[in-house]
């Protein structure tokens, strides 16, 4: 188990270095932050002063080494836009993003899994078709379209809810629903197909033939086995808690990490982008690690495999 | 009822009318695309359209601009000013102006704001680079100092003649000192508040000025809240609070307006005006502003090296068609790089190269141009209607026989990247004060972005630009200005004027308000009134 975990941690570290390097190269080669941040109308002297002050006039490799040196010494740098520490800027935004993504995740789980299970259990019925119709619609409508439709209906036409901003819990309702519906639809489709695959297995037929009540067959044999692929997608959803609401945050003017990322990328605000990428990569890697460990819990054969690998 | 309670009755009786008289003024909420690019409110750091929009709410200069009128200079924190000589302007400071920290504005505040540590630093330099900006005490960021030097290039000192009278003294003769002082870089802020701020970033997030509203909370990328400055010298502000909300998406801004969450929504594209006004409760106001949209030519490009090709391009564009089709006629075509508020420097007889396809084709034949590609770098709607305008122009150029190829870019750095693929690009030029020095010389002159970016240069133009900045002979300056226009717009085109930029603000129809002829939002008494 130790070796299993260590291997994954080494892989995770390599992934993070690659992500950070890729982002550094792409961001620095695709635009001069001084010109972008200072704007087209800034006096040339001001742009030059900015460039010198931030060391952007140094060769790229010097900037790269100095940036990595700072990261390894625990300094994630400062925002070139306003001079604040990048990590502080990012941490400030995380609660706002979690205020959307956590309730949305609850909606995804609460709607998506039962809908998928019911659709599978009543395959080819009217219920199945209705669930799948909504799932396909929810899955295929882009979140910005769904968001705008919800705003038009609930904010503009009915006037029940605010159209954007982050001033009260009411402001979170529409973005949470927008995020939740798309994810629930994806999860419903995934759960349904996982359940259908399991329900077709011989051991289900055997359990039924032995006279085990159908409810027990589903609860004790079908659901745990269908959970393995479903846990994978839930893991991805956990991984995207930090930066999974980029579009929705923009549509609803929600000041979370997603909007910060969009602004930082547009401004080539390297330290902030890198800080968010590091955070996202670490969240994703942690989620993957947890999913890997959960596989072992859900499937005793994998536990055995892990022990073997450790030996 | 106890005796103690009875004793309270007179006090309650007195308090009731007072409560009734509590501040009944409404809060104005404005949705904007962006509050501040730099996440600061210090004007020399936030030299942008979005910064110009809000700076007049909290800060003022000695000389103001009549934004809702003729754009002329008006007394603001100086009640009067006079020329002492070619290098010196003397200002009588308005008496009794209260700053947001409760202090009365003094000559020391003026000296500090125009020539002191706020713009030029302490002179001791920084111990580290800008990466520690905001954390190293009050030393301004290097780009702030650079902007200040660019705004006041000849500044020798600001001298306090006596309390209430200051002199702005230049090293060299300059007829534009008044215009330079009127820019928002030169707003007058509280010296005491600056010194108490602790660090530059804290100061830049909450500058203490004299404007009709004072900053109470700035949440970068989210909101900016002002409260009325009831001691404002220009009258009690009509709104109790002004809330600026950052709503990046235009559809979200319009939705917020229609659903009643905001009272104003800025940056409305012309094609949305009719959609907003279909609802009788709202209207869209706006007009041409002090900014001109133009196309810049890179004279180093293989095809554009020959001025005849650039001249042909200037004749191939039907500006009127663009204004009618894409702006519904709601903006204007200026007569070259000048606006009427130049006063006696305005050249009424000057005009853009006429739309003449035959002339364009003749010039191309003379240049022996055979359809070689000319790249046109373009951002996706950084300017209103930018992409549509670019597509229309490419077709207009094609009709004249020019093979202009549109290249969509992501940012200004990519647009300006030198090299053989840089040919034509979009730009705009704000006339920061009412003289060609504030636009033509500032942007196109030897130290301006066009030449610093090595896109265009002309020896005679540069000589004249220096003369325009230094000459005090107004008749001669007109001749120089006209010759400069002839060079850069006709003989050896460095740019081509398209039209005046315009900005549109959607608002509740029942609120009485007049849009300015520039970026600023004017919410002072006299320009904002609410229904009874």
């Amino acid at each position: 188990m130790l070796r299993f975990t260590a291997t994954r941690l080494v892989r995770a570290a390599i992934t993070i270095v690659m992500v950070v390097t890729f982002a550094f190269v792409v961001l620095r080669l695709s635009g001069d932050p001084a010109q972008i941040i200072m704007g087209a109308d800034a006096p040339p002297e001001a742009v030059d002063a900015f460039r010198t002050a931030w060391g952007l006039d140094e060769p790229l490799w010097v900037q790269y080494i100095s940036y990595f040196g700072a990261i390894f010494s625990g300094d994630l740098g400062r925002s070139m836009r306003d001079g604040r520490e990048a990590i502080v800027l990012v941490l400030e935004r995380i609660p706002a993003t979690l205020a959307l993504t956590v309730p949305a995740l609850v909606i995804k789980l609460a709607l998506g899994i039962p809908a998928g299970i019911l659709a599978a259990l009543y395959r080819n019925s009217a219920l199945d078709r209705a669930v799948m119709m909504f799932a396909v619609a929810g899955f295929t409508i882009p979140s910005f379209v769904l968001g705008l439709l919800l705003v038009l209906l609930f904010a503009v036409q009915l006037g029940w809810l605010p159209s954007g901003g982050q001033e009260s819990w009411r402001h979170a309702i529409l973005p949470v629903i927008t995020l939740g519906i798309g994810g629930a639809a994806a999860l419903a489709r995934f759960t349904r197909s996982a359940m259908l695959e399991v329900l077709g297995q011989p051991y289900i037929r055997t359990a039924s033939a032995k006279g085990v009540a159908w409810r027990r067959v589903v609860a004790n044999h079908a659901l745990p086995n269908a959970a393995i692929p479903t846990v994978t997608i839930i893991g991805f959803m956990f991984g995207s808690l930090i930066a999974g609401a980029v579009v929705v945050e923009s549509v609803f003017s929600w000041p979370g990490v997603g909007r910060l990322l969009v602004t930082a990328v547009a401004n080539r605000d390297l330290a902030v982008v890198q800080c968010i990428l590091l955070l996202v990569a670490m969240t994703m890697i942690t989620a993957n690690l947890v999913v890997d460990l959960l596989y072992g819990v859900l499937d005793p054969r994998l536990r055995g495999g892990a022990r073997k690998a450790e030996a | 009822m106890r005796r103690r309670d009875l004793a309270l009755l007179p006090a309650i009786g007195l308090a009731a009318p007072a409560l009734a008289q509590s501040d009944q003024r409404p809060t104005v909420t404005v949705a904007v695309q962006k509050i501040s690019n730099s996440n600061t409110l210090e004007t020399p750091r936030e030299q942008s359209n979005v910064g110009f929009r809000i700076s007049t709410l909290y800060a003022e200069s000695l000389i103001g601009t009549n934004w809702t009128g003729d754009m002329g200079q008006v007394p603001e924190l100086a009640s009067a000013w006079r020329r002492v000589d070619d290098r010196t302007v003397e200002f009588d400071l308005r008496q009794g102006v209260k700053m947001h920290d409760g202090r009365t504005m003094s000559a020391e505040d003026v000296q500090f704001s125009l020539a002191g540590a706020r713009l030029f630093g302490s002179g001791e330099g920084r111990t580290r680079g800008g990466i520690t900006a905001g954390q190293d005490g009050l030393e301004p960021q290097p780009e702030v100092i650079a902007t200040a030097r660019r705004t006041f290039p000849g500044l020798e000192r600001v001298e306090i003649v006596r309390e209430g009278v200051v002199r702005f003294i230049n090293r060299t003769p300059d007829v534009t000192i008044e215009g330079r002082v009127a820019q928002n870089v030169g707003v007058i802020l509280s010296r005491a508040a600056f010194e108490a701020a602790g660090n530059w970033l804290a100061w830049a997030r909450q500058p203490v000025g004299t404007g009709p509203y004072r900053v109470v909370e700035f949440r970068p990328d989210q909101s900016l809240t002002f409260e009325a400055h009831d001691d404002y010298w220009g009258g009690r502000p009509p709104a109790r609070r002004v809330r600026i909300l950052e709503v990046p998406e235009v559809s979200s801004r319009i939705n917020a307006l229609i659903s009643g969450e905001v009272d104003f929504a800025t940056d409305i594209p012309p094609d949305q005006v009719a959609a907003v006004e279909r609802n009788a409760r709202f209207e869209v106001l706006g007009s041409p502003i002090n900014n001109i949209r133009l196309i810049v030519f890179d004279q180093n490009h293989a095809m554009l090296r020959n001025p005849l090709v650039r001249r042909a391009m200037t004749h191939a564009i039907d500006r009127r068609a663009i204004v009618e089709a894409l702006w519904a006629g709601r903006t204007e075509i200026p007569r070259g790089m000048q606006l009427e508020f130049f006063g006696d420097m305005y050249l009424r007889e000057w005009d853009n190269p006429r739309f003449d396809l035959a002339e364009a084709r003749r010039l191309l034949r003379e240049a022996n141009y055979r359809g070689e590609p000319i790249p046109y770098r373009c951002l996706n709607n950084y300017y209103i209607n930018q992409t549509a305008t670019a597509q229309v122009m490419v077709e207009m150029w094609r009709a004249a026989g020019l093979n202009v190829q549109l290249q969509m870019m992501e940012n200004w750095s990519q647009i300006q990247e030198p090299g053989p693929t840089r040919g034509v690009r979009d730009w705009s030029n704000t006339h920061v004060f009412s003289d060609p020095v504030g636009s033509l010389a500032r942007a196109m002159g030897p130290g301006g972005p066009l030449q610093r970016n090595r896109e265009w240069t002309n020896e005679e133009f540069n000589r004249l630009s220096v003369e325009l900045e230094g000459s005090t002979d107004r008749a001669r300056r007109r001749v120089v200005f006209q010759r400069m226009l002839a060079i850069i717009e006709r003989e050896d085109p460095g740019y081509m004027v398209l039209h005046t930029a315009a900005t549109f603000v959607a608002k509740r129809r029942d609120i009485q308000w007049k849009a300015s002829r520039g970026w600023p939002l004017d919410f002072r008494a006299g320009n904002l009134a609410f229904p009874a």
Side-chain angles (χ1 to χ4, degrees):
Chain A
M1 192 66 181
L2 191 64
R3 188 172 166 186
F4 172 80
T5 310
T7 310
R8 270 155 180 74
L9 285 176
V10 170
R11 273 191 215 158
I14 293 170
T15 307
I16 286 174
V17 170
M18 285 171 65
V19 165
V20 170
T21 303
F22 180 74
F24 181 91
V25 172
V26 168
L27 287 178
R28 288 296 291 110
L29 290 184
S30 62
D32 171 16
Q35 190 65 64
I36 297 166
I37 292 174
M38 294 299 291
D41 299 327
E45 298 89 334
V47 178
D48 290 344
F50 185 95
R51 202 175 281 128
T52 308
W54 287 95
L56 296 167
D57 51 350
E58 301 269 17
L60 199 60
W61 64 270
V62 173
Q63 294 178 42
Y64 180 79
I65 288 173
S66 101
Y67 179 70
F68 259 84
I71 285 185
F72 284 120
S73 64
D75 178 5
L76 290 173
R78 290 178 188 278
S79 162
M80 281 188 270
R81 272 180 82 205
D82 63 13
R84 295 177 69 203
E85 282 186 43
I87 186 71
V88 173
L89 276 174
V90 176
L91 291 178
E92 265 179 9
R93 300 294 189 96
I94 287 178
T97 293
L98 291 181
L100 294 187
T101 53
V102 170
L105 182 63
V106 172
I107 290 177
K108 290 172 197 175
L109 298 178
L111 286 183
I113 292 177
I117 292 170
L118 285 174
L121 292 178
Y122 297 97
R123 188 183 183 185
N124 292 333
S125 68
L127 177 71
D128 180 26
R129 289 198 183 93
V131 167
M132 281 305 101
M133 190 182 76
F134 283 110
V136 169
F139 188 62
T140 50
I141 296 176
S143 56
F144 70 90
V145 174
L146 181 61
L148 287 174
L149 286 174
L150 291 175
V151 167
L152 278 176
L153 180 62
F154 292 104
V156 177
Q157 295 298 323
L158 300 172
W160 292 351
L161 292 167
S163 65
Q166 188 218 9
E167 285 162 54
S168 69
W169 62 270
R170 294 176 68 241
H171 288 77
I173 293 176
L174 291 182
V176 165
I177 291 174
T178 307
L179 276 174
I181 284 180
L187 202 52
R189 284 171 56 83
F190 225 86
T191 307
R192 177 181 179 270
S193 61
M195 276 293 285
L196 285 178
E197 195 180 326
V198 170
L199 290 173
Q201 294 296 319
Y203 56 82
I204 298 290
R205 198 168 55 242
T206 307
S208 300
K210 281 167 67 182
V212 179
W214 180 237
R215 189 173 292 177
R216 286 190 60 201
V217 171
V218 170
N220 295 346
H221 299 285
L223 284 180
N225 285 294
I228 293 174
T230 310
V231 159
T232 310
I233 194 168
I234 294 173
F236 277 120
M237 287 175 174
F238 265 101
S240 59
L241 280 179
I242 298 295
V246 175
V247 174
V248 169
E249 284 180 6
S250 293
V251 169
F252 289 96
S253 311
W254 189 269
V257 177
R259 248 183 85 192
L260 182 65
L261 180 63
V262 170
T263 314
V265 169
N267 285 310
R268 299 296 187 270
D269 199 348
L270 189 69
V272 178
V273 175
Q274 296 284 38
C275 202
I276 296 175
L277 288 183
L278 277 173
L279 208 65
V280 171
M282 284 192 289
T283 317
M284 204 56 98
I285 286 163
T286 308
N288 279 345
L289 200 63
V290 171
V291 166
D292 280 350
L293 297 175
L294 273 176
Y295 285 160
V297 173
L298 291 168
D299 188 341
R301 289 171 301 176
L302 293 176
R303 275 203 295 271
R307 271 197 298 273
K308 233 179 262 174
E310 200 179 343
Chain B
M1 189 176 278
R2 291 180 180 179
R3 197 163 42 184
R4 193 185 59 187
D5 297 337
L6 281 172
L8 282 174
L9 277 177
I12 293 168
L14 285 172
L19 285 172
Q21 287 171 12
S22 66
D23 200 340
Q24 297 297 310
R25 289 173 296 175
T27 293
V28 170
T29 307
V30 185
V32 300
Q33 185 185 19
K34 189 86 199 147
I35 294 173
S36 161
N37 287 328
S38 63
N39 279 348
T40 76
L41 303 175
E42 235 313 9
T43 50
R45 181 64 183 81
E46 185 56 39
Q47 284 291 292
S48 66
N49 300 345
V50 294
F52 295 145
R53 174 154 39 220
I54 55 172
S55 67
T56 51
L57 292 172
Y58 58 91
E60 296 168 303
S61 304
L62 293 177
I63 299 174
T65 301
N66 182 7
W67 290 112
T68 52
D70 62 0
M71 300 280 289
Q73 294 176 347
V74 291
E76 205 160 74
L77 295 180
S79 53
W81 61 91
R82 67 197 73 80
R83 277 271 165 176
V84 174
D85 55 39
D86 289 343
R87 301 187 301 120
T88 310
V89 179
E90 187 170 274
F91 296 92
D92 295 339
L93 303 185
R94 192 176 291 281
Q95 294 300 297
V97 171
K98 287 284 183 192
M99 306 192 94
H100 297 157
D101 56 2
R103 292 175 52 259
T104 302
M105 182 187 75
S106 67
E108 282 77 17
D109 290 316
V110 175
Q111 193 178 44
F112 151 78
S113 298
L114 292 175
R118 172 192 166 235
L119 291 184
F120 297 98
S122 62
E124 292 168 3
R126 306 175 68 87
T127 51
R128 291 174 64 191
I131 201 157
T132 54
Q135 310 295 316
D136 287 342
L138 285 168
E139 194 68 7
Q141 293 168 325
E143 60 271 21
V144 168
I145 298 172
T147 300
R149 286 185 181 142
R150 177 86 172 142
T151 308
F152 304 122
L155 172 65
E156 184 181 298
R157 66 184 189 279
V158 170
E159 182 180 288
I160 300 174
V161 179
R162 57 184 177 279
E163 189 51 46
V165 180
V166 296
R167 280 183 180 174
F168 187 104
I169 302 171
N170 234 31
R171 283 189 297 273
T172 51
D174 186 353
V175 294
T176 65
I177 291 174
E178 294 88 339
R180 294 179 186 280
V181 167
Q183 290 180 65
N184 79 351
V185 171
V187 292
I188 306 304
L189 303 175
S190 166
R191 178 181 179 172
F194 176 82
E195 287 166 355
N199 68 62
W200 190 86
L201 184 61
W203 160 255
R205 289 262 169 94
Q206 200 159 15
V208 174
T210 61
Y213 299 91
R214 65 182 182 88
V215 179
V216 289
E217 187 190 35
F218 179 30
R219 299 168 68 194
D221 297 331
Q222 300 172 51
S223 64
L224 171 61
T225 306
F226 297 97
E227 258 177 21
H229 175 43
D230 286 339
D231 292 328
Y232 179 56
W233 63 270
R236 193 171 182 247
R240 182 169 56 87
R241 277 180 165 237
V242 175
R243 289 170 66 236
I244 311 283
L245 301 181
E246 187 164 311
V247 185
E249 297 296 321
V250 63
S251 53
S252 303
R253 287 197 296 281
I254 292 174
N255 286 337
L257 178 75
I258 293 172
S259 63
E261 292 160 69
V262 303
D263 307 300
F264 291 81
T266 67
D267 305 304
I268 303 298
D271 61 354
Q272 294 296 312
V273 171
V276 173
E277 292 189 334
R278 265 200 293 274
N279 188 324
R281 292 187 298 128
F282 305 101
E283 63 182 341
V284 179
L285 302 182
S287 63
I289 59 170
N290 58 330
N291 177 287
I292 292 176
R293 273 278 283 115
L294 51 134
I295 298 294
V296 169
F297 302 115
D298 184 346
Q299 66 178 187
N300 304 302
H301 185 267
M303 287 304 110
L304 299 175
R305 215 166 278 147
N306 187 342
L308 294 174
V309 176
R310 281 177 270 142
R311 285 173 57 193
M313 295 182 86
T314 68
H315 283 292
I317 297 301
D318 184 351
R319 296 167 183 79
R320 178 57 54 196
I322 291 172
V323 166
E324 292 301 329
L326 299 178
W327 292 83
R330 293 181 76 147
T331 191
E332 296 164 354
I333 300 166
R335 291 175 170 272
M337 186 59 69
Q338 55 168 351
L339 294 174
E340 287 195 46
F341 84 127
F342 280 12
D344 63 353
M345 286 299 287
Y346 185 69
L347 304 172
R348 224 161 269 287
E349 65 279 14
W350 185 256
D351 210 345
N352 301 300
R354 69 183 184 284
F355 170 53
D356 186 341
L357 279 180
E359 175 66 0
R361 289 184 189 121
R362 187 192 69 74
L363 287 165
L364 291 175
R365 273 197 306 277
E366 198 180 328
N368 206 22
Y369 173 78
R370 297 182 188 282
E372 293 89 344
I374 298 171
Y376 175 6
R377 294 178 182 173
C378 181
L379 290 175
N380 185 21
N381 288 333
Y382 174 85
Y383 300 114
I384 293 175
N385 279 333
Q386 184 175 5
T387 308
T389 304
Q391 289 168 336
V392 167
M393 286 198 302
V394 165
E395 292 310 312
M396 287 176 172
W397 278 321
R398 194 188 310 281
L402 283 151
N403 176 16
V404 179
Q405 296 184 347
L406 202 55
Q407 298 178 351
M408 297 309 291
M409 298 285 164
E410 195 203 337
N411 55 54
W412 278 107
S413 171
Q414 293 171 355
I415 292 279
Q416 294 179 344
E417 180 74 27
T421 59
R422 188 175 72 179
V424 179
R425 72 169 171 98
D426 287 306
W427 202 24
S428 79
N429 190 10
T430 299
H431 295 251
V432 294
F433 53 86
S434 55
D435 189 277
V437 168
S439 49
L440 191 66
R442 184 182 68 93
M444 317 298 176
L450 187 71
Q451 298 205 37
R452 291 283 290 260
N453 206 21
R454 293 192 173 84
E455 290 171 290
W456 180 89
T457 191
N458 181 291
E459 205 176 308
E460 184 188 356
F461 182 90
N462 289 352
R463 222 174 29 249
L464 292 168
S465 182
V466 172
E467 186 178 349
L468 186 75
E469 292 205 51
S471 171
T472 55
D473 177 347
R474 298 195 81 85
R476 171 65 188 158
R477 292 184 84 243
R478 270 180 66 90
V479 173
V480 167
F481 177 39
Q482 178 148 3
R483 178 67 195 136
M484 287 172 73
L485 286 181
I487 294 169
I488 199 167
E489 295 187 358
R490 292 290 179 95
E491 296 170 12
D492 180 17
Y495 65 79
M496 175 183 78
V497 161
L498 279 183
H499 54 74
T500 313
T503 179
F504 300 104
V505 179
K507 61 174 268 291
R508 274 170 47 191
R509 199 180 283 273
D510 61 343
I511 295 177
Q512 289 175 39
W513 180 76
K514 191 174 174 187
S516 80
R517 298 191 62 201
W519 301 109
L521 292 169
D522 184 353
F523 288 149
R524 287 177 296 183
N527 197 51
L528 178 70
F530 299 91

